[in-house]
Amino acid sequence: MQAEKKADFTLDLRGESCPYPVIYTLEALEGMNEGELLQVITDCPSSFRNVPEEALKHGYTFAQDPVKNGQEYLFYIYA
Amino acid sequence: MKTIIQTIFQRYWHPYTALILAGLLSAIYFGLTATVWAVTGEFTRFGGHILQFIGVDVSDWAYFQLVHLEGTTWSRPDGWIVWGMFIGALIMVLYSNSFKIRLPQQKRRYVQGLVGGIIAGFGARLALGCNLAAFFTGVPQFSIHSWIFIVATGIGTFFGAKVTKMRWWKGKPSLMRGAAAPSKVNKHVVQPYVGGVITIAYAALVIYFFASGKTLLGFGALFGLAFGILIERGQICFTSAFRDLWLVGRSLMAKAIIAGMAISSILTIIVIVLYDIPPITKIAALSTFVGGVLFGLGIVMASSCETGMMYRLMEGQVLYLTVFIGNIVGATFLAYAWDHLGIYNLLVKSGSPINLLDSIGPIGAIAATLAMLGTLYGLTVYWEKRYQRNMQMKRGAKTHAS
């Protein structure tokens, strides 16, 4: 499960609780240039569902499937 | 078999599944015990016990008489609902191997959790219930106070969401250039075994309650466990139901909660009519509205309501320890302020308990409740659509500019 492209930015959200994972992810994506890749590391269980769903709804695409890494998830999202 | 285990223990359930089950179970619990699924009343009693322990005489506090501060938490069905919920959530966390001590990166979160928890605890008890007795299990009792509370919570969360978006409140994320390494994963999985041991011990306790004739404690312990399992597996979050609607136009949790209340109302009206159990009606007054607004504001500030806090604490999210403490402090302060600071005379005395069953009969009550829930559903969908329209316009503008 290697990212096809190296991430341009990483958002380390370990320890952050909702709603901040969603807010931070959307804000980071908004501030990036189109086509750049964001890696998100999060361990808040609610964010496992709401971060990918909100990123998709806001029109961003995923570079690959989410990776479950123990008690955390990794997301790779194109801005 | 493996896939069944995976679906139940390793994946989160759809919020609709969890909330409809919770709605059905809470109606059955009412049918069996003539009480409702609630938690903050017990939190207030915790506060009373702590005060007694440090030598404060609370015997003449009116609020503690109202919530029946008698016995210990172990001898009350309401107590076992709370402990059952903690244990149900914990064993699900352990079975799915998802326990982890999670410490917020930003210290300000602890202060936010404590302050929000105090405001939410105070507001919930002022309104005589939290998101359960004045909301999820209040609407199916046809008690008008829960209608007021829902509207007020909506208003409170709206302003809470505004606060969380402010820079000084939300803080800065750790956004870095380039890729970063994820955490090392421990290959030895022990959590499900710990969960198994706790399950066996708890099962023995429930059997003991029933075998020794403590039926109400047994029901409390059993239903508490089920509610704990449901809130954790469904990641049921009343805070996010409102807040995420205001923040990012996310409606899934709100719609699932409305569906759960509708199902619960239908089963409850059948139970009430068939078994002639009086519904639980609380005072509807100015205090319900003020309490609801404070509750809504507090839960968004604390990032969790009184039930969401419970499973998040069991997941190892340390932040919610401050929220839990805040909830108890806030509820206990309300108990003090009730008569000592004149809150009762100012906000509660003029109100009265109003139940739809008494005013418009069972058919009218269920019809009015379903119509109200349908309206809430419609408003939720409208708000989501409105948000999406605005977002597309914003994105369109961005694309054209670049």
Side-chain angles (χ1 to χ4, degrees), chain A residues 17 44-46, chain B residues 43 46 82-83 85-91 93-94 98-104 110 228 231-232 235-236 302-328:
Chain A
S17 301
C44 166
S46 305
Chain B
F43 289 0
F46 289 168
V82 169
W83 299 114
M85 285 172 72
F86 274 126
I87 289 175
L90 178 64
I91 58 177
V93 167
L94 292 172
S98 44
F99 182 84
K100 180 189 167 195
I101 297 286
R102 295 157 163 100
L103 294 163
Y110 293 110
I231 56 170
E232 195 279 335
Q235 295 279 306
I236 296 176
S303 286
S304 186
C305 65
E306 275 85 336
T307 42
M309 171 278 289
M310 296 175 81
Y311 68 82
R312 295 200 170 98
L313 192 56
M314 294 299 104
E315 285 167 350
Q317 300 197 48
V318 177
L319 167 64
Y320 293 100
L321 205 54
T322 65
V323 179
F324 189 23
I325 294 167
N327 286 158
I328 293 178

Side-chain angles (χ1 to χ4, degrees), chain A residues 8-10 12 14-18 20 24 27 30 39 43 45-46 53-54 57-58 69 71-72, chain B residues 12 97 100 102 105-106 109 169-170 174 176 178-180 183 185 235 250 303 317 387 391 398:
Chain A
D8 296 296
F9 289 95
T10 297
D12 182 359
R14 281 172 280 195
E16 278 290 356
S17 301
C18 286
Y20 305 102
Y24 286 161
E27 281 182 357
E30 207 168 304
Q39 178 190 36
D43 63 4
S46 305
E53 284 185 5
E54 287 312 314
K57 246 203 277 175
H58 282 73
N69 179 61
Q71 283 91 21
E72 63 192 31
Chain B
Y12 290 116
N97 192 36
K100 180 189 167 195
R102 295 157 163 100
Q105 292 172 17
Q106 306 182 58
R109 296 277 180 260
W169 182 277
K170 81 181 166 201
S174 53
M176 307 165 278
S183 306
V185 179
Q235 295 279 306
R250 186 178 166 76
S303 286
Q317 300 197 48
Y387 180 89
M391 183 184 76
K398 196 183 165 191

Side-chain angles (χ1 to χ4, degrees), chain A residues 15-77:
Chain A
E16 278 290 356
S17 301
C18 286
Y20 305 102
V22 171
I23 296 181
Y24 286 161
T25 303
L26 293 179
E27 281 182 357
L29 287 165
E30 207 168 304
M32 287 162 57
N33 295 319
E34 224 174 309
E36 284 183 323
L37 184 62
L38 176 72
Q39 178 190 36
V40 179
I41 309 179
T42 178
D43 63 4
C44 166
S46 305
S47 71
F48 300 163
R49 182 191 279 268
N50 60 25
V51 165
E53 284 185 5
E54 287 312 314
L56 284 174
K57 246 203 277 175
H58 282 73
Y60 302 105
T61 49
F62 278 73
Q64 62 175 82
D65 284 339
V67 180
K68 188 178 191 314
N69 179 61
Q71 283 91 21
E72 63 192 31
Y73 261 90
L74 310 174
F75 299 119
Y76 297 91
I77 313 168

Side-chain angles (χ1 to χ4, degrees), chain B residues 54-361:
Chain B
I54 58 172
V56 181
D57 179 20
V58 295
S59 55
D60 63 337
W61 291 25
Y63 201 86
F64 285 127
Q65 285 155 18
L66 185 75
V67 297
H68 304 290
L69 182 68
E70 294 147 11
T72 68
T73 184
W74 315 117
S75 65
R76 287 189 294 258
D78 277 358
W80 279 104
I81 283 280
V82 169
W83 299 114
M85 285 172 72
F86 274 126
I87 289 175
L90 178 64
I91 58 177
M92 285 298 120
V93 167
L94 292 172
Y95 282 142
S96 59
N97 192 36
S98 44
F99 182 84
K100 180 189 167 195
I101 297 286
R102 295 157 163 100
L103 294 163
Q105 292 172 17
Q106 306 182 58
K107 297 283 170 286
R108 70 183 79 191
R109 296 277 180 260
Y110 293 110
V111 183
Q112 294 168 350
L114 185 68
V115 173
I118 292 174
I119 296 174
F122 183 90
R125 289 326 298 170
L126 176 60
L128 298 167
C130 62
N131 50 307
L132 296 175
F135 199 134
F136 191 75
T137 56
V139 168
Q141 294 294 322
F142 309 100
S143 176
I144 280 293
H145 89 294
S146 58
W147 292 37
I148 301 171
F149 190 79
I150 289 176
V151 173
T153 305
I155 296 170
T157 50
F158 183 80
F159 289 105
K162 294 251 179 257
V163 173
T164 56
K165 282 195 105 161
M166 289 180 195
R167 190 181 293 266
W168 60 273
W169 182 277
K170 81 181 166 201
K172 262 201 151 127
S174 53
L175 184 66
M176 307 165 278
R177 242 172 214 296
S183 306
K184 266 220 177 85
V185 179
N186 194 344
K187 286 267 182 286
H188 297 283
V189 176
V190 291
Q191 293 185 18
Y193 298 101
V194 181
V197 172
I198 298 174
T199 309
I200 293 166
Y202 197 75
L205 181 79
V206 172
I207 292 168
Y208 159 77
F209 281 148
F210 282 110
S212 59
K214 296 181 173 114
T215 317
L216 284 179
L217 293 186
F219 282 138
L222 204 55
F223 279 81
L225 183 81
F227 293 134
I229 291 171
L230 289 173
I231 56 170
E232 195 279 335
R233 282 293 87 185
Q235 295 279 306
I236 296 176
C237 179
F238 284 72
T239 311
S240 76
F242 285 101
R243 178 200 62 207
D244 295 357
L245 198 58
W246 308 138
L247 283 180
V248 288
R250 186 178 166 76
S251 67
L252 177 64
M253 191 59 68
K255 290 193 284 198
I257 289 171
I258 294 167
M261 284 196 287
I263 299 279
S264 192
S265 301
I266 293 168
L267 188 58
T268 305
I269 194 85
I270 296 171
V271 166
I272 289 175
V273 171
L274 283 185
Y275 300 100
D276 204 24
I277 306 171
I280 307 219
T281 316
K282 297 275 169 66
I283 294 174
L286 196 55
S287 57
T288 319
F289 185 79
V290 177
V293 172
L294 288 174
F295 174 76
L297 184 67
I299 58 175
V300 177
M301 289 167 71
S303 286
S304 186
C305 65
E306 275 85 336
T307 42
M309 171 278 289
M310 296 175 81
Y311 68 82
R312 295 200 170 98
L313 192 56
M314 294 299 104
E315 285 167 350
Q317 300 197 48
V318 177
L319 167 64
Y320 293 100
L321 205 54
T322 65
V323 179
F324 189 23
I325 294 167
N327 286 158
I328 293 178
V329 170
T332 311
F333 178 64
L334 181 271
Y336 175 80
W338 190 257
D339 41 4
H340 296 81
L341 301 178
I343 292 235
Y344 177 79
N345 286 332
L346 183 68
L347 295 174
V348 190
K349 208 174 168 186
S350 55
S352 59
I354 305 167
N355 196 290
L356 286 174
L357 280 170
D358 303 327
S359 8
I360 50 177

